[in-house]
Amino acid sequence: MAIKITEDCILCGACEPECPNNAIYEPDTAWKFSDGTTLKDNLERQDGGFSDEFYFIATDKCTECVGFHEEPQCAAVCPVDCCVDDEDNRETKEQLLAKKESLHL
């Protein structure tokens, strides 16, 4: 499953540079598939986890760090443990690896 950031976020920004898929964004920021990936899709989006109050993770780009690290790096560095499993977006390890491969051709 993807990771989400809860409303407990204190806006410290520790998680953002840790994401290998560049899937973490500041509040009220549109996201793009091309940010930090090899994809050329520059269409700005405001869906898939978008928040105007706290950092958020673009669900379509989150691979839980599968293929990069042993654990989600956002959760590992979060000082308030607000990076948690997104129960609404479950994916298998195989699906997460496939997503990783599609983002980093």
Side-chain angles (χ1 to χ4, degrees):
M1 73 187 69
I3 304 295
K4 68 178 179 180
I5 299 175
T6 69
E7 63 275 357
D8 295 330
C9 175
I10 60 171
L11 301 170
C12 72
C15 58
E16 185 180 19
E18 300 302 320
C19 181
N21 299 313
N22 198 20
I24 301 175
Y25 292 85
E26 292 181 7
D28 206 25
T29 302
W31 66 272
K32 298 181 278 188
F33 275 109
S34 60
D35 294 337
T37 71
T38 58
L39 299 178
K40 304 292 186 221
D41 184 348
N42 285 314
L43 178 66
E44 291 188 339
R45 294 167 168 81
Q46 290 186 332
D47 60 355
F50 181 82
S51 171
D52 60 357
E53 297 176 25
F54 44 87
Y55 277 80
F56 68 94
I57 299 173
T59 304
D60 290 341
K61 291 176 70 176
C62 179
T63 62
E64 294 182 49
C65 294
V66 168
F68 294 103
H69 304 285
E70 294 296 315
E71 65 181 340
Q73 296 300 285
C74 56
V77 301
C78 182
V80 294
D81 297 325
C82 68
C83 297
V84 300
D85 291 339
D86 184 350
E87 299 290 335
D88 293 332
N89 291 290
R90 294 186 177 273
E91 295 170 287
T92 66
K93 184 173 183 176
E94 292 75 24
Q95 289 171 315
L96 293 169
L97 280 170
K99 186 190 294 187
K100 178 220 179 235
E101 294 302 318
S102 72
L103 291 170
H104 304 279
L105 301 172

